[in-house]
Amino acid sequence: MSYLPTVPETLARTARKYPDREAIVYPRKDVRWTYREFDRRVTQFANVLRESGVEPGDRVSLLMYNSAEFAVAVFGLLRAGAVFNPINYRLAPGEVEYIVNDSHSEVLLFEEATRETVDTAREACPDVETYIYVDDDTHPAPGYAEGFHDAVAGAAADPVDVEVEPDDQYAIMYTSGTTGKPKGVFHSHRDATYHNLMYFGRTDLDYADVGVSAMPLYHNAELNCGLFPRVNLGAKSVILHEFDAERVIELI
């Protein structure tokens, strides 16, 4: 492992240090995973992607609200060496098409709440070879998509034979496009890890803390100031599907 860990290495390191500490809580589906359980699912999803033909550097898009599946997907695709391309779930089908095509994404993850958008957009996304539906545990997956939970349950938990370096790209984050077409901004694993360190220096975040992911995880604010730093330290993340003021106050 490199001196400066990549994003998936931060999880692996924490899972070794605190295997029985609670990592992910997702009340919507009554999920409570320890770091050992979370890390195992991440490796299984990485193997799902590798088995489907995803190579290091390939782009994987997520059109999803916050969820436990989102957390598994982002760490899993990075463990497989792929590049994370989150998409704002509020965008119209034409805007989604543009980002998916501009990023040359080969895999697209989506859920029931974004299914209508994907149904509309997918005919105009020729680069996407694999669609993965993350709500197959509660709804039937559409015929064109693979079920996330079925795939992960049947996947090996063997270590993924992929080398990921700190200077490799971890994400393409698209701008809002207020003055033109959205532009993809590249981020490296080194960027993300340094951001964690800067965040630690400006907060009192501790491994015993609990944080609520209420803002969207497709955005840097929640991802790099919430989920990633907490995983790096071994803190607990309580994930809300979307923001609801009363529910946030109740959970806090």
Side-chain angles (χ1 to χ4, degrees):
M1 186 172 67
S2 61
Y3 177 72
L4 187 72
T6 62
V7 175
E9 284 174 339
T10 63
L11 170 59
R13 181 180 60 182
T14 297
R16 289 193 297 269
K17 291 173 64 179
Y18 309 117
D20 298 320
R21 182 178 293 279
E22 226 168 28
I24 300 294
V25 177
Y26 183 42
R28 183 182 175 93
K29 291 187 177 180
D30 296 323
V31 166
R32 303 190 81 96
W33 293 334
T34 64
Y35 270 101
R36 179 190 290 111
E37 293 167 332
F38 179 39
D39 187 63
R40 178 183 176 86
R41 284 174 170 82
V42 165
T43 297
Q44 288 176 296
F45 183 63
N47 282 317
V48 167
L49 293 178
R50 295 289 290 155
E51 286 293 323
S52 70
V54 171
E55 297 290 338
D58 288 351
R59 285 75 187 272
V60 177
S61 288
L62 271 65
L63 184 63
M64 294 169 56
Y65 286 70
N66 293 359
S67 63
E69 293 90 348
F70 193 113
V72 170
V74 64
F75 279 94
L77 72 89
L78 295 177
R79 186 163 286 175
V83 179
F84 171 53
N85 179 39
I87 303 175
N88 184 341
Y89 48 71
R90 296 184 181 90
L91 296 181
E95 295 170 307
V96 172
E97 291 167 12
Y98 173 79
I99 291 175
V100 170
N101 292 331
D102 188 67
S103 65
H104 301 290
S105 291
E106 298 182 10
V107 180
L108 175 61
L109 280 79
F110 66 106
E111 61 177 284
E112 185 62 26
T114 59
R115 178 174 176 170
E116 184 176 349
T117 299
V118 174
D119 286 345
T120 303
R122 71 185 189 90
E123 292 299 327
C125 300
D127 290 339
V128 179
E129 299 176 359
T130 304
Y131 289 87
I132 301 177
Y133 176 75
V134 304
D135 280 333
D136 58 310
D137 57 336
T138 56
H139 296 77
Y144 60 84
E146 183 176 359
F148 175 90
H149 291 274
D150 282 347
V152 169
D158 301 328
V160 184
D161 187 21
V162 172
E163 289 290 333
V164 181
E165 299 295 334
D167 289 323
D168 290 344
Q169 292 174 7
Y170 101 82
I172 307 175
M173 299 281 191
Y174 274 80
T175 63
S176 59
T178 51
T179 59
K181 293 289 187 181
K183 299 169 182 64
V185 180
F186 293 101
H187 299 261
S188 71
H189 287 266
R190 185 183 300 277
D191 297 339
T193 305
Y194 273 133
H195 195 287
N196 283 189
L197 298 176
M198 292 170 61
Y199 186 74
F200 299 156
R202 295 178 63 86
T203 68
D204 294 324
L205 185 66
D206 184 81
Y207 75 95
D209 285 342
V210 181
V212 178
S213 286
M215 296 185 295
L217 284 166
Y218 69 71
H219 195 280
N220 261 322
E222 183 59 40
L223 196 67
N224 281 304
C225 297
L227 181 64
F228 281 1
R230 290 195 293 267
V231 168
N232 199 335
L233 279 182
K236 181 192 300 186
S237 293
V238 180
I239 299 176
L240 286 183
H241 187 251
E242 55 195 301
F243 179 77
D244 178 275
E246 291 186 3
R247 183 64 171 142
V248 170
I249 294 169
E250 175 189 347
L251 283 173
I252 290 171

